[in-house]
Amino acid sequence: MKAQRTTTQKRIIYDALVKAGHPTATELYEIVHQDNEHISKATVFRVLSQYADNGDIRRLSIRGSDERFDATMTSHAHMRCVRCGKIVDVMSPELESVLAAKSVQGFEVYSAELEYAGLCEECKQNNASAS
């Protein structure tokens, strides 16, 4: 990892990412900008890209969504609600060895992503009450 200076702006952006969960760059900018009007959209995008390139955060390619970012670096999967788009971490000891595999069927593995798709509790309840 390339060592870089930690600035106040970078810390604000990182802390907002941790709290936000799995935002797009635009969503994170909107969160950061509410309390920090001096931080530009370009700065948020650049800092996210630097963090991802350095391996400090993950870029997520979630089906049906713009690129998202995740500050949780331990091995885990993601659950995506097919109705509202909510994304949550799935922490499972059973998945750790699968996601941490360094070689699969002769391929050298650089990274692995696992995405579950279904309905979140809120959408299930809304679906049940609409019936």
Side-chain angles (χ1 to χ4, degrees), residues 35-79:
D35 295 326
N36 301 278
E37 293 180 5
H38 62 282
I39 298 178
S40 71
K41 192 174 201 176
T43 297
V44 172
F45 279 59
R46 182 177 35 78
V47 168
L48 284 173
S49 186
Q50 286 174 351
Y51 277 142
D53 290 347
N54 289 340
D56 297 325
I57 64 172
R58 292 180 194 203
R59 289 181 207 267
L60 299 178
S61 298
I62 303 289
R63 181 183 289 183
S65 175
D66 290 341
E67 182 176 69
R68 293 181 172 273
F69 296 88
D70 187 357
T72 304
M73 296 303 291
T74 56
S75 290
H76 66 284
H78 293 98
M79 173 59 82

Side-chain angles (χ1 to χ4, degrees), residues 113-125:
E113 292 183 24
L114 177 60
E115 176 188 324
Y116 293 97
L119 286 177
C120 68
E121 284 295 322
E122 186 175 316
C123 287
K124 279 193 317 190
Q125 289 174 2

